[in-house]
């Protein structure tokens, strides 16, 4: 067994140096750990106090903070749970217990160690989850004035807020009226400067019609005394809005636009496209495009349209009016004045009538008042229309109807010789009238129907599902009664001509049209001519 070699003095000196180095590192590490523990233990109450003081000073309110933590992670990492800021009164009487004006489920932010010694402390970004803004009713918003006071007590300045999930509730004390609620999927707000508006980017799901809204712009400065007067402007996109969530209509809508003004008076300019718009219980899907200029009260959803320019297939219409929330009913009432200067009657019929193809084609002019009240029944049961129309060069899609009109025109012009040769003109019709729609049935107080040789004045009704025709009135014909037939019938009817030739017409007789769209019945109506309400 060989002897162990004794280290040289130089080697022994190097070993002792390494021992000292390791010992120094261990001591330094221990000191740093102790220092970090001290920093964290000292920093936590300091930062917590600054957070509470800042919020209390900003809102002049009681602040509740359930959990608060500080850790050393690239500076100071601060996080908290259950942040609630209360007002002088309960803002929402519809909820059990006293509700905070502002609540945050979770928050976190990071700052540098040196910021502990600065006042105010600077924070670049605060991240939040579950932000809820619960604005009190207008009558109780005097407490909101404190949002702009006590700036000298502000201990923390934040440049940017990033929120995952937010809710804005605007409360009311009016009996029977529910709070107005906005659900926001994500919200980012960036401070531009002192007393300057915040820049925001927001994503939210619109409740009705259900769809995704993205918006960015400027908000503020906040008007604490009157939040409705807070300025806002920006741009928006509204995608995949499912109109079937509004009872009675359907289609997938998209919209883009811009807005500016205050929360209670936003000026909005935009456009919508719905390639498959339809009235669910009656019409067929049709492409609908609109361009609109509107005044919107974002605090209650009331909208005033000035105007809307729409295109349905090949027909353009202009509408102006209002969409106003009703106090006594849950929902909005739509009141519009609608005008069609140059359109196609088949486009409008395809939208509102189930029959395919539509009952007629032709050019149309229309002026009407549109009134749709909220409710649970179908849109046809809730829709009221009243107005007047003129259809020119109309041609009926139903061959039975058109053939009878062609035959009537030939006979009432006395062209019976051509009928015997089976030569029949294909004629167009002109229609005009005053109408109103209620419970899915069109009522006509004055309906005029003109074809070559015939002018008919009617009153009656027509159901949108095509199952009911019921019209009565008078027909004025160019030809005399005997001129509408041939052979021995003409001889027999000649003495009767003087009884039916009235008011400058060759013949004037009472008529009726009854039955259904697929099986109409035309006949004389001598029993009806003297009834009250008949056409004179």
């Amino acid at each position: 067994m060989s002897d162990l070699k004794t280290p040289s003095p130089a080697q022994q000196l190097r070993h002792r140096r390494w021992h000292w180095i390791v010992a120094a590192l261990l001591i330094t590490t221990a000191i740093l750990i102790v220092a970090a523990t001290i920093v964290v233990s000292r920093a936590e109450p300091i930062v917590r106090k600054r957070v509470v003081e800042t919020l209390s000073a900003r809102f002049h309110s009681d602040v509740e903070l359930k959990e608060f933590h500080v850790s050393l992670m690239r500076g100071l990492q601060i996080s908290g749970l259950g942040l609630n800021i209360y007002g002088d009164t309960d803002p929402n009487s519809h909820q059990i217990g006293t509700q905070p004006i502002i609540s945050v489920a979770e928050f976190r932010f990071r700052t540098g160690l040196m910021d502990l010694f600065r006042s105010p402390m600077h924070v670049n970004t605060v991240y939040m989850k579950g932000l809820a803004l619960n604005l009190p009713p207008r009558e109780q918003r005097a407490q909101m004035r404190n949002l702009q006071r006590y700036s000298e007590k502000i201990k923390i300045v934040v440049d940017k807020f990033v929120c995952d999930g937010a809710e804005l509730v605007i409360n009311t004390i009016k009996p029977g009226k529910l709070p107005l609620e906005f659900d926001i999927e994500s919200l980012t707000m960036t401070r531009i400067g002192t007393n300057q508006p915040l820049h925001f980017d927001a994503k939210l799901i619109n409740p009705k019609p259900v769809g995704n809204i993205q918006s960015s712009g400027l908000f503020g400065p906040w008007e604490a005394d009157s939040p409705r007067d807070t300025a806002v402007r920006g741009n928006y996109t509204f995608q995949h809005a499912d109109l079937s969530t509004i009872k009675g209509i359907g289609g997938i809508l998209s919209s883009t636009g811009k807005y500016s003004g205050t929360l209670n008076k936003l000026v909005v300019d935009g456009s919508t496209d719905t390639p498959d718009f339809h009235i669910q219980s009656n019409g067929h899907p049709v492409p609908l495009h609109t361009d609109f200029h509107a005044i919107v009260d974002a605090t209650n959803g009331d909208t005033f349209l000035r105007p809307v320019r729409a295109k349905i297939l090949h027909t353009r219409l202009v509408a102006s009016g209002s969409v106003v929330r009703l106090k006594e009913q849950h929902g909005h009432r739509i009141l519009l004045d609608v005008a069609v200067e140059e359109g196609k009657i088949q486009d409008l019929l395809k939208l509102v009538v189930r029959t395919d193809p539509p009952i007629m084609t032709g050019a149309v002019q229309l002026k009407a008042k549109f009134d749709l009240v909220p409710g649970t029944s179908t849109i046809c049961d809730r829709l009221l229309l009243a107005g007047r129309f003129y259809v020119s060069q109309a041609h009926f899609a139903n061959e039975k109807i058109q053939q009878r009109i062609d035959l009537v025109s030939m006979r009432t012009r006395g062209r019976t010789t051509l009928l015997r040769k089976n030569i029949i003109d294909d004629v167009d019709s002109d229609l005009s009238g005053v109408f109103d729609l209620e419970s899915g049935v069109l009522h006509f107080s004055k309906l005029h129907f003109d074809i070559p040789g015939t002018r008919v004045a009617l009153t009656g009704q027509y159901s949108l599902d095509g199952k009911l025709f019921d019209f009565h009135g008078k027909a004025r014909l160019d030809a005399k009664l005997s001129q509408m037939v041939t052979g021995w019938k003409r001889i027999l009817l000649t003495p009767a001509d003087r009884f039916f030739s009235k008011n400058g017409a060759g013949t004037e007789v009472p008529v009726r049209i009854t039955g259904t769209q697929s099986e109409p019945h035309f006949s004389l109506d001598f029993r009806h001519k003297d009834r009250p309400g008949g056409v004179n």
Side-chain angles (χ1 to χ4, degrees), residues 206-211 238 245-247:
N206 193 64
K208 187 178 285 190
V210 173
F238 188 17
T245 54
I246 301 175
K247 189 175 181 64

Side-chain angles (χ1 to χ4, degrees), residues 224-249:
D225 189 28
S226 179
R228 295 165 58 92
D229 294 324
T230 299
V232 62
R233 67 180 184 271
N235 302 296
Y236 77 90
T237 60
F238 188 17
Q239 300 294 330
H240 308 296
D242 186 358
L243 296 179
S244 66
T245 54
I246 301 175
K247 189 175 181 64
I249 63 175

Side-chain angles (χ1 to χ4, degrees), residues 455 476-478 501-508:
R455 292 163 298 284
R476 292 169 55 82
L477 317 177
D478 289 350
S501 297
K502 299 178 182 179
N503 303 316
T507 304
E508 183 178 276

Side-chain angles (χ1 to χ4, degrees), residues 183-195:
D183 290 321
I184 302 172
E185 183 179 339
S186 64
L187 175 65
T188 299
M189 295 181 293
T190 305
R191 188 173 69 96
I192 297 175
T194 305
N195 296 323

